[in-house]
Amino acid sequence: MSVTLTQLLAMAGGVVLAGVVAHGAWAARKAGPRRADPLRMEEPHFDAPPVPGDAAAEAGPLAVSLPAVARPLRRPSARIDALIDAIATITIEHPVAGELALQHQPGSRRAGTKPLQIEGLHAETGEWELPAPGQRYSEFQAGLKMANRSGALNEIEYSEFVQKIQAFADGIGGFVQFPDMLDVVARARELDQFAASHDAQLALLLRARGAAWTPGFVQQAAARHGFVAGALPGRLVLPSADEGAPPVLTLQFDAQAALAEDPEALSLRELTLALDVPQTPAELEPFAVWQESARALARDLEAEVCDDRGQVLGLHAFASIDVELKKLYEALAERDLAAGSPAARRLFS
C-alpha cells in the first residue's frame, strides 16, 4: 500500500497536533501541585496490634532503633517481710548517698519493744540493703516487726515508728507512705495470737544423781558432744552447721557460778538443756538431736533426765512430744513460717 503526499501531510499535521496537546498537558502538570508518583503508590495497610510482652511492638518503630537502657532487677528484701512487718515506703526524686541516709537514721532502732529497720534500694544492683557509705539508693523502706515474744505491736509503738520514719524521710527529702494504724494493730494481734499458740521452747533438766559438778567439769563433758562456750556466762551452745544461724541447743547453768572468781570452788547439781523449736529447720531433726544429747550428757554426768517440774522423763514422754512437734512443724509451714526460716527466726525472738 502506497502513501500519497496528502496522506503524509495529514499524518504530519496529526503528529504536530499531538505534540502541542502533550506539551500543554506537561506545562499544566508542572504548574500544578506535585503529586505522588503512580508507580510508587502503595495500598494503605494497617499494623497488627502489638503482642503483649513485645516491648518493641508496644513502644513503636522509634524505640526499636534506640538502645535499651539496662535497669537492675528489683530483688526482695531478706530483712523486711510483709508477713511479719509493717512496712513504710519512702520515695525520692533522685538517688540519695548512703552518707546522707546514715546521717538521718533514728538514734534507736526500736519503737517500744519492737525492732525497726531501714533499707535502701541500691541504685545499681537493685538489692535492698542497709545504707552504707559510698553507695547510692533510689528508694527506701522501713519495717517494724508487728509481734515478738514481748507481745503484739500497739498504737503507742506504731506512733513512735511513724515519728522516727517521718523524721528520716524529711531529712533525705523523701515522701513516706505509712500503712493504716488500725489495720496494722489488728494484724499484729492476730499474728501474736498465732505465735503464742505455736511457740515451742523445749527444756529438760539434767539433775545430778550423786556427786555435784564443777563448771569446768560440765564444760569438759559437754565439749565431747559438740558444745562450745556461748556469748553469755553459764551458757554452752551446740552450734548450727549453717554459718550465722542460731544454735541448735543450749546448755545452761547458774550464771553466778560462771562469773565467780574461782568457779571450780562452786558446785552444780542441775543443768537445763533447751531446744528453741522455731529457730531450727525440721529437716535437721533437732528434736532427735535434743533427745540424744540429753541421754549422752546424762550418761557422762551421771544425771537424771527430768521435766521442768523435776519428774523423771521416760521414753514414752519423748514419743508423745515428738507427735505434737510434727503437728507444730506442719502448722508453721502452712503459715509460711516454717521453722528455721528467716521470718520464723525473727518472729519467735
Side-chain angles (χ1 to χ4, degrees), residues 128-335:
W128 286 106
E129 64 181 38
L130 299 178
Q135 308 301 325
R136 296 183 67 79
Y137 302 97
S138 58
E139 186 179 340
F140 290 88
Q141 67 177 6
L144 177 66
K145 189 153 64 168
M146 292 187 291
N148 57 12
R149 283 173 173 160
S150 298
L153 175 71
N154 58 45
E155 291 86 347
I156 296 176
E157 291 172 324
Y158 187 74
S159 297
E160 182 181 345
F161 170 70
V162 169
Q163 292 176 357
K164 289 184 174 182
I165 301 308
Q166 185 64 65
F168 172 79
D170 293 341
I172 63 171
F175 174 74
V176 59
Q177 290 182 295
F178 294 100
D180 180 73
M181 182 178 70
L182 295 179
D183 178 63
V184 169
V185 171
R187 288 171 53 207
R189 290 171 179 165
E190 191 275 333
L191 182 62
D192 180 61
Q193 290 174 0
F194 173 84
S197 60
H198 294 82
D199 187 5
Q201 299 180 72
L202 305 180
L204 55 79
L205 301 179
L206 296 170
R207 190 173 56 192
R209 287 199 299 261
W213 323 293
T214 65
F217 181 80
V218 170
Q219 291 175 359
Q220 287 181 351
R224 290 194 292 269
H225 302 287
F227 286 83
V228 299
L232 300 176
R235 189 171 187 260
L236 304 173
V237 298
L238 182 65
S240 171
D242 298 330
E243 185 177 356
V248 179
L249 302 177
T250 61
L251 182 64
Q252 294 178 277
F253 56 88
D254 185 6
Q256 295 299 322
L259 293 172
E261 293 184 4
D262 184 10
E264 294 307 295
L266 301 177
S267 62
L268 304 170
R269 298 196 60 85
E270 194 172 86
L271 307 173
T272 301
L273 182 65
L275 164 63
D276 195 338
V277 175
Q279 300 295 324
T280 308
E283 55 267 24
L284 297 182
E285 299 183 342
F287 176 75
V289 176
W290 179 66
Q291 184 178 1
E292 181 56 34
S293 295
R295 291 174 178 172
L297 289 170
R299 181 184 64 245
D300 291 359
L301 296 171
E302 297 184 1
E304 293 178 325
V305 178
C306 308
D307 62 18
D308 55 359
R309 295 171 297 179
Q311 301 296 318
V312 177
L313 291 174
L315 292 177
H316 67 282
F318 284 102
S320 60
I321 294 173
D322 189 26
V323 171
E324 295 302 318
L325 201 56
K326 290 177 180 177
K327 296 178 182 178
L328 175 63
Y329 282 133
E330 292 176 358
L332 290 173
E334 289 176 358
R335 185 66 184 253

Side-chain angles (χ1 to χ4, degrees), residues 103-128:
Q103 178 183 348
H104 293 283
Q105 287 263 23
S108 170
R109 301 298 192 275
R110 304 187 76 84
T113 62
K114 306 301 181 292
L116 66 86
Q117 294 191 77
I118 297 177
E119 290 184 326
L121 186 66
H122 198 285
E124 295 181 0
T125 66
E127 298 275 1
W128 286 106

